[in-house]
Amino acid sequence: MEEEILRVENLCKSFTVEKSFTSKIKQFIKKEEPEKVTALKNVSFSVKEGEILGILGESGSGKSTLARVLMGIIEADSGNASLLGKDILNASGLDRLKILREMQMVFQDPFGSLDPRMNVRQILKEPLNIHKVEPDGGVEDFLIKSIEEVGLTRDALDKYPSQFSGGQRQRIGICRALILNPKLIIADEAVSALDVSVQAQILELLMELKKKRGLSMIFISHDVAVVRQISDRIILLYHGEIVEEVKADSLLTDIKHEYSKKLLSAALSLREGRG
Ligand SMILES: Nc1ncnc2c1ncn2[C@@H]1O[C@H](COP(=O)(O)OP(=O)(O)OP(=O)(O)O)[C@@H](O)[C@H]1O
Ligand SMILES: [Mg+2]
Protein backbone atom coordinates (compact mmCIF):
# COMPACT_ATOMS: atom_id res chain seq x y z
CA MET A 1 0.00 0.00 0.00
CA GLU A 2 1.19 3.54 -0.73
CA GLU A 3 2.40 5.43 2.28
CA GLU A 4 0.33 8.34 3.55
CA ILE A 5 2.50 11.46 3.56
CA LEU A 6 0.09 14.07 4.84
CA ARG A 7 -3.10 13.76 6.85
CA VAL A 8 -5.33 16.74 7.55
CA GLU A 9 -8.29 16.45 9.91
CA ASN A 10 -11.11 18.91 10.57
CA LEU A 11 -9.07 22.01 9.91
CA CYS A 12 -10.93 25.24 10.73
CA LYS A 13 -9.86 28.83 10.30
CA SER A 14 -11.81 32.06 10.37
CA PHE A 15 -10.69 35.66 10.10
CA THR A 16 -12.13 38.76 11.70
CA VAL A 17 -13.28 41.16 9.00
CA GLU A 18 -11.28 44.39 9.24
CA LYS A 19 -13.61 47.37 9.64
CA SER A 20 -13.19 51.12 9.55
CA PHE A 21 -12.60 52.91 12.83
CA THR A 22 -16.16 54.32 12.94
CA SER A 23 -17.80 50.95 12.30
CA LYS A 24 -15.63 49.52 15.07
CA ILE A 25 -16.94 52.20 17.47
CA LYS A 26 -20.55 51.50 16.41
CA GLN A 27 -19.94 47.78 16.86
CA PHE A 28 -18.53 48.46 20.35
CA ILE A 29 -21.49 50.63 21.37
CA LYS A 30 -24.00 48.08 20.12
CA LYS A 31 -21.98 45.32 21.81
CA GLU A 32 -21.89 43.40 18.53
CA GLU A 33 -19.51 40.49 17.97
CA PRO A 34 -16.86 41.28 15.34
CA GLU A 35 -17.86 39.96 11.93
CA LYS A 36 -16.00 36.80 10.89
CA VAL A 37 -15.30 35.14 7.59
CA THR A 38 -14.88 31.38 7.54
CA ALA A 39 -11.88 30.54 5.38
CA LEU A 40 -11.69 26.81 6.24
CA LYS A 41 -14.42 24.64 7.69
CA ASN A 42 -13.75 21.06 8.79
CA VAL A 43 -11.28 20.39 6.01
CA SER A 44 -10.05 16.78 6.03
CA PHE A 45 -8.01 14.94 3.40
CA SER A 46 -4.81 13.01 2.91
CA VAL A 47 -1.97 12.90 0.39
CA LYS A 48 -0.21 9.65 -0.49
CA GLU A 49 3.38 9.10 -1.48
CA GLY A 50 3.98 10.08 -5.11
CA GLU A 51 0.51 11.58 -5.47
CA ILE A 52 -0.46 14.99 -6.81
CA LEU A 53 -3.56 16.23 -5.05
CA GLY A 54 -5.21 19.11 -6.88
CA ILE A 55 -7.11 21.73 -4.90
CA LEU A 56 -9.57 23.61 -7.02
CA GLY A 57 -11.80 26.49 -6.01
CA GLU A 58 -12.78 30.00 -6.98
CA SER A 59 -11.14 33.11 -5.54
CA GLY A 60 -11.71 33.37 -1.78
CA SER A 61 -12.57 29.68 -1.34
CA GLY A 62 -9.75 29.19 1.18
CA LYS A 63 -7.01 27.60 -0.95
CA SER A 64 -4.14 29.85 0.15
CA THR A 65 -5.35 29.83 3.74
CA LEU A 66 -5.03 26.04 3.67
CA ALA A 67 -1.46 26.29 2.30
CA ARG A 68 -0.52 28.93 4.88
CA VAL A 69 -1.92 26.94 7.79
CA LEU A 70 -0.04 23.81 6.68
CA MET A 71 3.21 25.75 6.28
CA GLY A 72 2.79 27.28 9.74
CA ILE A 73 2.56 30.84 8.37
CA ILE A 74 -0.82 31.30 10.09
CA GLU A 75 -2.39 29.40 12.96
CA ALA A 76 -5.48 27.21 12.58
CA ASP A 77 -8.42 27.70 14.97
CA SER A 78 -8.78 23.94 15.38
CA GLY A 79 -8.00 20.65 13.70
CA ASN A 80 -4.96 18.47 13.14
CA ALA A 81 -2.36 17.92 10.47
CA SER A 82 0.47 15.43 10.38
CA LEU A 83 3.34 14.81 8.00
CA LEU A 84 4.56 11.21 8.08
CA GLY A 85 2.69 10.81 11.36
CA LYS A 86 4.28 13.86 13.02
CA ASP A 87 2.10 16.71 14.26
CA ILE A 88 2.88 19.78 12.16
CA LEU A 89 0.53 22.40 13.59
CA ASN A 90 1.88 22.36 17.12
CA ALA A 91 5.56 21.82 16.37
CA SER A 92 8.04 24.49 17.39
CA GLY A 93 11.78 25.10 17.40
CA LEU A 94 13.90 22.31 16.00
CA ASP A 95 10.87 20.06 15.28
CA ARG A 96 9.31 22.81 13.17
CA LEU A 97 12.59 23.22 11.24
CA LYS A 98 12.73 19.46 10.58
CA ILE A 99 9.16 19.51 9.25
CA LEU A 100 9.86 22.49 7.01
CA ARG A 101 12.69 20.50 5.49
CA GLU A 102 10.21 17.85 4.37
CA MET A 103 7.56 20.31 3.20
CA GLN A 104 8.33 23.17 0.83
CA MET A 105 6.26 25.71 -1.00
CA VAL A 106 6.26 27.06 -4.56
CA PHE A 107 4.52 30.42 -4.86
CA GLN A 108 2.50 32.12 -7.59
CA ASP A 109 4.79 35.07 -8.04
CA PRO A 110 8.33 33.82 -8.57
CA PHE A 111 9.59 37.39 -8.66
CA GLY A 112 8.09 38.40 -5.36
CA SER A 113 9.32 35.25 -3.66
CA LEU A 114 12.94 35.50 -4.83
CA ASP A 115 15.15 38.12 -3.15
CA PRO A 116 16.26 40.47 -5.98
CA ARG A 117 19.55 41.26 -4.20
CA MET A 118 20.67 37.64 -4.11
CA ASN A 119 22.07 35.75 -7.08
CA VAL A 120 20.75 32.27 -7.81
CA ARG A 121 23.71 30.59 -6.09
CA GLN A 122 22.93 32.52 -2.87
CA ILE A 123 19.19 31.83 -3.22
CA LEU A 124 19.78 28.09 -3.56
CA LYS A 125 22.44 27.96 -0.84
CA GLU A 126 20.23 29.63 1.75
CA PRO A 127 18.10 26.56 2.63
CA LEU A 128 21.27 24.41 2.75
CA ASN A 129 22.84 26.83 5.25
CA ILE A 130 19.69 27.10 7.39
CA HIS A 131 19.42 23.32 7.63
CA LYS A 132 23.21 22.82 7.82
CA VAL A 133 23.22 20.45 4.85
CA GLU A 134 26.55 19.59 3.23
CA PRO A 135 25.96 17.71 -0.01
CA ASP A 136 28.32 14.82 -0.90
CA GLY A 137 30.74 15.95 -3.58
CA GLY A 138 30.59 19.61 -2.53
CA VAL A 139 28.07 22.42 -2.72
CA GLU A 140 29.02 23.78 -6.15
CA ASP A 141 28.59 20.45 -7.96
CA PHE A 142 25.30 19.92 -6.14
CA LEU A 143 24.00 23.36 -7.19
CA ILE A 144 24.99 22.76 -10.81
CA LYS A 145 23.19 19.40 -10.80
CA SER A 146 20.14 20.96 -9.15
CA ILE A 147 19.84 23.91 -11.55
CA GLU A 148 20.27 21.59 -14.54
CA GLU A 149 17.56 19.30 -13.19
CA VAL A 150 15.02 22.12 -13.57
CA GLY A 151 16.13 22.85 -17.14
CA LEU A 152 18.50 25.80 -16.62
CA THR A 153 22.24 25.98 -17.30
CA ARG A 154 25.03 26.41 -14.75
CA ASP A 155 25.69 30.05 -15.72
CA ALA A 156 22.28 30.82 -14.17
CA LEU A 157 23.92 30.50 -10.74
CA ASP A 158 25.75 33.83 -11.14
CA LYS A 159 22.71 35.77 -12.33
CA TYR A 160 20.04 37.70 -10.42
CA PRO A 161 16.24 37.09 -10.53
CA SER A 162 15.64 40.18 -12.70
CA GLN A 163 17.76 38.64 -15.46
CA PHE A 164 15.29 35.79 -16.02
CA SER A 165 11.87 35.43 -17.66
CA GLY A 166 8.80 34.51 -15.57
CA GLY A 167 9.03 30.84 -16.53
CA GLN A 168 12.76 30.69 -15.73
CA ARG A 169 12.14 32.36 -12.38
CA GLN A 170 9.54 29.74 -11.59
CA ARG A 171 12.13 27.07 -12.42
CA ILE A 172 14.43 28.72 -9.86
CA GLY A 173 11.58 28.77 -7.31
CA ILE A 174 11.01 25.06 -7.93
CA CYS A 175 14.74 24.35 -7.68
CA ARG A 176 14.89 26.13 -4.32
CA ALA A 177 11.84 24.21 -3.06
CA LEU A 178 13.48 20.92 -4.07
CA ILE A 179 16.99 21.61 -2.85
CA LEU A 180 16.45 19.89 0.52
CA ASN A 181 14.78 16.91 -1.17
CA PRO A 182 11.40 17.39 0.56
CA LYS A 183 8.66 14.75 0.68
CA LEU A 184 5.88 17.22 -0.10
CA ILE A 185 5.59 20.33 -2.24
CA ILE A 186 2.73 22.78 -1.86
CA ALA A 187 2.34 24.76 -5.07
CA ASP A 188 -0.07 27.70 -4.71
CA GLU A 189 -1.12 29.02 -8.15
CA ALA A 190 2.41 28.13 -9.30
CA VAL A 191 1.66 28.61 -13.00
CA SER A 192 -1.16 31.16 -12.85
CA ALA A 193 1.05 34.16 -13.61
CA LEU A 194 2.61 32.54 -16.68
CA ASP A 195 1.67 32.50 -20.37
CA VAL A 196 -0.18 29.37 -21.47
CA SER A 197 2.81 27.90 -23.38
CA VAL A 198 5.15 28.50 -20.44
CA GLN A 199 2.50 27.07 -18.09
CA ALA A 200 2.61 23.83 -20.06
CA GLN A 201 6.41 23.62 -19.74
CA ILE A 202 6.34 24.18 -15.97
CA LEU A 203 3.55 21.60 -15.51
CA GLU A 204 5.64 19.17 -17.56
CA LEU A 205 8.64 19.84 -15.32
CA LEU A 206 6.63 19.31 -12.12
CA MET A 207 5.20 16.03 -13.42
CA GLU A 208 8.67 14.86 -14.46
CA LEU A 209 10.12 15.73 -11.02
CA LYS A 210 7.26 13.97 -9.29
CA LYS A 211 7.94 10.80 -11.29
CA LYS A 212 11.70 10.94 -10.85
CA ARG A 213 11.71 11.68 -7.13
CA GLY A 214 8.47 10.03 -6.03
CA LEU A 215 7.44 13.46 -4.78
CA SER A 216 4.01 14.22 -3.34
CA MET A 217 2.37 17.50 -4.17
CA ILE A 218 -0.58 19.69 -3.28
CA PHE A 219 -1.30 21.65 -6.42
CA ILE A 220 -3.56 24.63 -5.79
CA SER A 221 -5.25 26.48 -8.63
CA HIS A 222 -8.48 28.10 -9.73
CA ASP A 223 -7.91 26.77 -13.27
CA VAL A 224 -9.88 23.58 -13.96
CA ALA A 225 -7.86 22.57 -17.02
CA VAL A 226 -4.50 23.03 -15.29
CA VAL A 227 -5.53 21.11 -12.17
CA ARG A 228 -7.01 18.30 -14.24
CA GLN A 229 -3.85 17.96 -16.30
CA ILE A 230 -1.42 17.60 -13.41
CA SER A 231 -3.43 15.96 -10.60
CA ASP A 232 -4.10 12.34 -9.70
CA ARG A 233 -6.97 13.27 -7.40
CA ILE A 234 -8.87 16.55 -7.01
CA ILE A 235 -10.59 18.25 -4.10
CA LEU A 236 -13.02 21.10 -4.67
CA LEU A 237 -13.22 23.86 -2.08
CA TYR A 238 -16.30 26.04 -1.83
CA HIS A 239 -16.50 28.73 0.85
CA GLY A 240 -13.85 26.89 2.84
CA GLU A 241 -15.48 23.47 2.69
CA ILE A 242 -14.58 20.41 0.66
CA VAL A 243 -17.62 19.75 -1.51
CA GLU A 244 -16.13 17.16 -3.82
CA GLU A 245 -13.27 14.68 -3.98
CA VAL A 246 -12.74 12.86 -7.26
CA LYS A 247 -10.09 11.12 -9.33
CA ALA A 248 -8.75 13.59 -11.90
CA ASP A 249 -9.82 11.47 -14.87
CA SER A 250 -13.42 11.33 -13.65
CA LEU A 251 -13.69 15.03 -12.83
CA LEU A 252 -16.18 15.61 -15.63
CA THR A 253 -18.36 12.60 -14.88
CA ASP A 254 -18.33 11.92 -11.13
CA ILE A 255 -19.12 15.29 -9.58
CA LYS A 256 -22.27 15.69 -7.54
CA HIS A 257 -22.35 19.13 -5.95
CA GLU A 258 -24.25 21.83 -7.83
CA TYR A 259 -21.42 24.32 -7.35
CA SER A 260 -18.84 21.97 -8.87
CA LYS A 261 -21.05 21.44 -11.91
CA LYS A 262 -21.38 25.20 -12.40
CA LEU A 263 -17.66 25.79 -11.93
CA LEU A 264 -16.78 23.11 -14.46
CA SER A 265 -19.34 24.07 -17.08
CA ALA A 266 -18.27 27.72 -16.82
CA ALA A 267 -14.63 26.73 -17.24
CA LEU A 268 -15.35 24.45 -20.17
CA SER A 269 -17.56 26.91 -22.05
CA LEU A 270 -14.84 29.54 -21.58
CA ARG A 271 -12.34 27.18 -23.21
CA GLU A 272 -14.70 26.33 -26.06
CA GLY A 273 -15.45 30.03 -26.52
CA ARG A 274 -11.76 30.71 -26.87
CA GLY A 275 -11.59 28.03 -29.59
N1 LIG B 1 -5.21 37.65 6.63
C1 LIG B 1 -6.53 37.67 6.38
N2 LIG B 1 -7.36 38.50 7.06
C2 LIG B 1 -8.69 38.52 6.84
N3 LIG B 1 -9.30 37.73 5.95
C3 LIG B 1 -8.53 36.88 5.21
C4 LIG B 1 -7.11 36.81 5.40
N4 LIG B 1 -6.62 35.87 4.54
C5 LIG B 1 -7.67 35.39 3.86
N5 LIG B 1 -8.83 35.97 4.26
C6 LIG B 1 -10.19 35.68 3.76
O1 LIG B 1 -10.36 34.28 3.81
C7 LIG B 1 -11.06 33.82 2.64
C8 LIG B 1 -10.20 32.80 1.92
O2 LIG B 1 -9.08 33.46 1.35
P1 LIG B 1 -7.91 32.72 0.56
O3 LIG B 1 -6.85 33.70 0.27
O4 LIG B 1 -7.53 31.50 1.30
O5 LIG B 1 -8.66 32.30 -0.78
P2 LIG B 1 -8.06 31.68 -2.13
O6 LIG B 1 -8.93 30.52 -2.46
O7 LIG B 1 -6.61 31.45 -2.01
O8 LIG B 1 -8.36 32.84 -3.19
P3 LIG B 1 -7.52 33.27 -4.52
O9 LIG B 1 -7.92 32.29 -5.60
O10 LIG B 1 -8.02 34.63 -4.81
O11 LIG B 1 -6.06 33.21 -4.20
C9 LIG B 1 -11.39 35.06 1.84
O12 LIG B 1 -12.69 35.45 2.18
C10 LIG B 1 -10.37 36.07 2.30
O13 LIG B 1 -10.87 37.37 2.19
MG1 LIG C 1 -4.90 32.16 -3.05
Side-chain angles (χ1 to χ4, degrees):
M1 213 182 84
E2 296 143 313
E3 197 180 356
E4 193 174 83
I5 296 287
L6 179 78
R7 171 178 284 264
V8 175
E9 286 168 323
N10 294 318
L11 218 53
C12 294
K13 175 74 191 172
S14 61
F15 294 101
T16 307
V17 178
E18 270 306 315
K19 293 215 161 157
S20 68
F21 184 66
T22 40
S23 5
K24 275 187 190 162
I25 299 274
K26 277 187 204 154
Q27 201 171 45
F28 181 74
I29 294 167
K30 291 185 188 164
K31 293 198 172 84
E32 283 173 358
E33 285 289 312
E35 201 182 313
K36 292 214 161 179
V37 47
T38 305
L40 297 174
K41 193 173 170 192
N42 292 325
V43 169
S44 303
F45 63 89
S46 63
V47 184
K48 294 193 193 76
E49 186 167 24
E51 180 183 42
I52 300 190
L53 177 74
I55 299 195
L56 194 58
E58 64 189 354
S59 183
S61 57
K63 305 180 299 295
S64 296
T65 304
L66 176 62
R68 289 194 198 112
V69 166
L70 292 177
M71 291 303 294
I73 301 167
I74 52 172
E75 231 179 289
D77 297 334
S78 59
N80 295 303
S82 56
L83 187 78
L84 294 163
K86 287 193 200 105
D87 183 356
I88 58 175
L89 299 186
N90 300 304
S92 58
L94 211 57
D95 286 339
R96 167 102 237 124
L97 200 64
K98 274 190 202 154
I99 289 160
L100 284 177
R101 190 176 163 169
E102 300 294 354
M103 210 166 88
Q104 294 283 323
M105 198 151 167
V106 176
F107 297 91
Q108 168 169 7
D109 173 11
F111 199 52
S113 62
L114 300 173
D115 189 335
R117 295 160 304 178
M118 286 161 86
N119 67 21
V120 174
R121 181 178 287 101
Q122 291 166 321
I123 289 170
L124 297 179
K125 260 168 118 171
E126 197 177 44
L128 298 176
N129 293 340
I130 292 173
H131 291 269
K132 299 188 172 56
V133 174
E134 284 173 30
D136 296 340
V139 176
E140 188 63 17
D141 275 1
F142 180 68
L143 294 184
I144 291 171
K145 221 174 92 213
S146 304
I147 202 77
E148 286 176 350
E149 193 184 3
V150 296
L152 295 173
T153 49
R154 61 182 68 192
D155 58 313
L157 293 173
D158 290 308
K159 293 185 183 162
Y160 289 82
S162 61
Q163 293 173 275
F164 296 94
S165 68
Q168 288 170 330
R169 280 200 289 264
Q170 199 52 300
R171 286 177 192 270
I172 298 165
I174 292 167
C175 189
R176 182 181 58 180
L178 288 177
I179 207 99
L180 295 164
N181 201 18
K183 284 268 185 291
L184 179 75
I185 291 282
I186 302 181
D188 188 1
E189 304 280 4
V191 300
S192 306
L194 306 172
D195 291 345
V196 175
S197 63
V198 183
Q199 268 188 2
Q201 292 164 12
I202 298 293
L203 290 177
E204 202 59 49
L205 172 69
L206 288 172
M207 288 191 275
E208 189 188 304
L209 290 167
K210 169 206 126 154
K211 218 158 113 190
K212 197 166 140 198
R213 293 179 172 230
L215 201 66
S216 306
M217 205 180 309
I218 294 180
F219 188 90
I220 296 172
S221 176
H222 65 279
D223 187 325
V224 177
V226 164
V227 172
R228 207 172 135 219
Q229 189 185 342
I230 194 170
S231 308
D232 299 304
R233 199 155 48 92
I234 297 173
I235 278 172
L236 262 118
L237 269 185
Y238 180 61
H239 291 318
E241 275 187 274
I242 295 181
V243 292
E244 209 86 54
E245 188 184 326
V246 287
K247 286 220 164 98
D249 46 19
S250 51
L251 180 67
L252 302 180
T253 49
D254 277 6
I255 53 162
K256 293 170 198 77
H257 197 274
E258 240 358 88
Y259 159 72
S260 332
K261 287 181 189 164
K262 274 192 197 143
L263 180 81
L264 293 184
S265 66
L268 292 174
S269 61
L270 202 67
R271 293 230 137 205
E272 278 158 20
R274 271 193 207 147

